[in-house]
Amino acid sequence: MERAYKTSLKFGTGGIREKMGHRPNQMNEKTVGIITQALANYLKSQYGEEEIRVSIGYDSRRNSDFFASVSKKVLSSNGIKVYVFTELVPTPVLAYSIEHLKCHAGIMITASHNSKEYNGYKVYGASGVQLTPEVARYVQQEILELDYSDVLLEGNKELEFEVPESALFAFLERVENAVMLVEKKEPITIAFSALHGASTRPARLILERNGFDRVVLEEEQCVPHGDFPTCPSPNPEEQKAMEKVMALGTRIGADVVFATDPDGDRLGVGLWNGSGYTLLSGNEIGVLLYDYLLATGKEGGKVFKTIVTTDLLDDLAKDHGQEVVSVLNGFKYIGDQVNLLAEQGKEQDFILGVEENYGYLVGSYVKDKDSIGALLLFSNLVQYNKNLGKDPLDRLQEIYDTYGYREQKVVSYTFEGEAGKKKIASYMAMLRDVKPNAYWVEKLDYLDGVNGLPKADILKFVSKDKDSLIVRPSGTEPKLKLYFSLNSKELKEFMGMTRPLDVVLGELF
C-alpha cells in the first residue's frame, strides 16, 4: 500500500514560498497538486453552481511552467474553467487578468526575489487582492487535511484555455491611464534589467508606447533564466544585483537605471550622480514618487503604506493636506484599502501605495505592487526634472533638509528549518518581555491590536530621540527582520557596523 503523502506548506504574507525538492514540505508536483486541490475545494464551496474561472501565470523560475500546468490540470479536473498565460508574465499582469477575464481567483507561480532554489504559489481572490488571512486559513486547513490521493489529476481539455494577448495590452492601457505623460524636451536615456525574470517585454512596451525611445536593455539579464546566472540573488534591493545594469548605464550615459525582480512586481532604481549611480532605497523611491505626484498636481488625497515604511511620506502629506494610512506588512493590505475606497465610490482618492521593500502601486488597475507602473512613473519623474534642469537627487536632499534625514536600515537574520522557527519565536517572546524604559520610551505590540489593524506578530519600539525599531518574523523567508528608522547620531553609529543578533539586542535592550 502506498504511503500517504501530505504537505505542511503554509501561506505567509506573500503566499507560499519554499525550496524545490521531493519532501512534503518543499515545492514539487505533489505539494502543488494538494495546494491546488485545496483551492478548488474552497472555490467550489464559495461559488457553488457558478461557472468558476481561474487565471494562472508563471515566471522564469525552474519548474514554474510545470507547476502552472499541474495547477491547470487539477482545476479543470474539478470542473473549473482555467486560463493560462502562454508565456511568462509579471505578477501584476496576472493580478490584472483576474478582472479582465472575470475570474474568481488567480494563481501566480513564483518565489519573487528568493534565490534559485525556491519556488512559490501566490493566490489572488476575485477582488484582485491576495488571499485575506481568513480565506488563507480556510485553504490552509484544506491543505493539511488532504492527501495526494485526494487530488484530481485527469484534466479536462474542454475547460483549459489560453489567456488572450489582449490582456497584456489592456493592462498597459490601464497603467497609462494612471500616469500623466511628460513632454520629452531633452529625452532621457534609460538602462533596464529584468534580472533574468518576466518583465522584459511589458517594460519595453510601456516605455516605447510612452515616447521613451532611448532605452537600452541589459541584454544578458533580459534573457529569462531560472538559475539567475549573473545575479545569484535576483533582488533589486541588493547592490550586487544592480551592478550589471549600472555598468551598462555608465557605458551609454544613462540618466537612470532600473531593475525588476524575477516576477516583475518590485523596482530598483539608480540615479546618475556625476561619477556613478546612487542606488535609492525603497523608502527614497517612494518619497520621490509621492513628491513628484504632488508637484504635478495629482488629484486625490490618500497614500497607503506599510507600518515599516518611512514616515517622511506622512510629513509630505501633512504639508499638502493629504492623508497617509499605515497598514500591516504585505501589499494585500494596501490592496484591501484601495478596494475599500472603490466600494465607497472614492476610488479617485487613491494616489500611491508604497512598501519599503521596493513595492509601489500608482493606480487602482491592480491591487498589488507593480514594477511596470512604477517604471513608467519614475521615468516620467526623471524626464520632468530634466526638462526643468533639475536633479532628483538634489530634490531628495531638499526633502531631507526640510524634514530631517532619517536613515532607514533593515537588518535580517536567517534561521533555517523547524529549529529556526523556534529560535525566531524565542526572540519575539524575549522582546515581548521588554518593558519601556528611560531609552525606549514606547512599546507597541501588534498582537494586542494597534490603530484598528489586524493582530500580527510585530513589535515596535520608539526611543526618546524618536528612533524607532520594528521587529517581525518574515512571512515569506526564514528570517527575523529588524527595521530601524534612525534619527540619533549614537544609534546611527551603532547600526553602521554589522553585528550578530544577540549582540545587537543585548546592546539595545
Side-chain angles (χ1 to χ4, degrees), residues 17 21-22 68 118 125 132 181 186 231 243 283 318 334-335 343 365-366 378 388 391 395 420 424 435 465 480 492:
R17 286 185 216 169
H22 299 295
Y118 283 79
T132 64
L181 194 63
E186 184 184 346
C231 52
E243 284 177 351
N283 284 314
K318 185 177 180 181
I334 292 176
E343 290 168 9
Y365 51 90
V366 290
F378 206 98
L388 298 175
D391 185 337
R395 177 55 190 153
I424 290 172
K435 307 296 183 195
D465 299 315
L480 185 67
K492 285 179 184 177

Side-chain angles (χ1 to χ4, degrees), residues 219-231:
E219 291 187 2
E220 190 174 7
Q221 290 188 333
C222 283
V223 175
H225 199 303
D227 287 335
F228 313 113
T230 67
C231 52

Side-chain angles (χ1 to χ4, degrees), residues 195-433:
L195 298 183
H196 299 292
S199 63
T200 297
R201 187 176 180 224
R204 179 176 53 77
L205 285 171
I206 200 70
L207 293 173
E208 283 180 358
R209 287 162 58 109
N210 288 273
F212 292 99
D213 53 11
R214 296 172 61 177
V215 178
V216 181
L217 303 182
E218 207 306 313
E219 291 187 2
E220 190 174 7
Q221 290 188 333
C222 283
V223 175
H225 199 303
D227 287 335
F228 313 113
T230 67
C231 52
S233 179
N235 184 354
E237 295 180 70
E238 298 182 12
Q239 182 167 338
K240 283 188 175 180
M242 300 290 290
E243 284 177 351
K244 285 184 72 68
V245 76
M246 287 193 291
L248 170 63
T250 301
R251 290 197 302 273
I252 66 172
D255 299 272
V256 60
V257 301
F258 295 110
T260 55
D261 67 342
D263 72 321
D265 60 358
R266 299 174 191 239
L267 180 73
V269 179
L271 288 169
W272 182 252
N273 60 27
S275 60
Y277 288 94
T278 297
L279 293 178
L280 301 180
S281 71
N283 284 314
E284 289 172 331
I285 295 169
V287 166
L288 282 174
L289 288 176
Y290 183 36
D291 179 68
Y292 167 68
L293 292 172
L294 290 170
T296 53
K298 171 75 172 179
E299 295 183 359
K302 284 186 181 290
V303 172
F304 301 119
K305 71 179 183 69
T306 56
I307 59 174
V308 299
T309 300
T310 179
D311 57 7
L312 275 176
L313 294 167
D314 302 70
D315 294 335
L316 285 167
K318 185 177 180 181
D319 278 359
H320 289 82
Q322 298 186 351
E323 181 185 6
V324 172
V325 177
S326 294
V327 299
L328 294 180
N329 278 60
F331 217 91
K332 61 189 172 197
Y333 295 111
I334 292 176
D336 283 337
Q337 292 295 322
V338 177
N339 273 338
L340 185 60
L341 284 180
E343 290 168 9
Q344 297 169 347
K346 298 178 180 178
E347 198 168 359
Q348 71 281 358
D349 286 355
F350 173 61
I351 297 175
L352 183 67
V354 180
E355 189 176 47
E356 57 77 36
N357 59 353
Y358 290 57
Y360 317 96
L361 177 60
V362 302
S364 58
Y365 51 90
V366 290
K367 310 304 185 296
D368 206 348
K369 51 185 175 280
D370 169 31
S371 73
I372 306 303
L375 170 67
L376 179 59
L377 184 61
F378 206 98
S379 298
N380 280 330
L381 180 160
V382 177
Q383 183 67 67
Y384 173 83
N385 278 274
K386 191 166 187 176
N387 289 349
L388 298 175
K390 295 183 177 180
D391 185 337
L393 289 174
D394 291 339
R395 177 55 190 153
L396 184 61
Q397 187 58 51
E398 290 173 4
I399 294 171
Y400 285 138
D401 291 342
T402 301
Y403 300 104
Y405 175 65
R406 265 146 286 183
E407 184 174 327
Q408 309 291 328
K409 188 175 182 67
V410 183
V411 186
S412 298
Y413 297 91
T414 301
F415 301 91
E416 297 278 2
E418 289 302 318
K421 292 178 184 177
K422 292 177 181 178
K423 190 71 173 173
I424 290 172
S426 71
Y427 279 117
M428 293 301 293
M430 179 191 73
L431 289 171
R432 282 199 162 84
D433 286 338

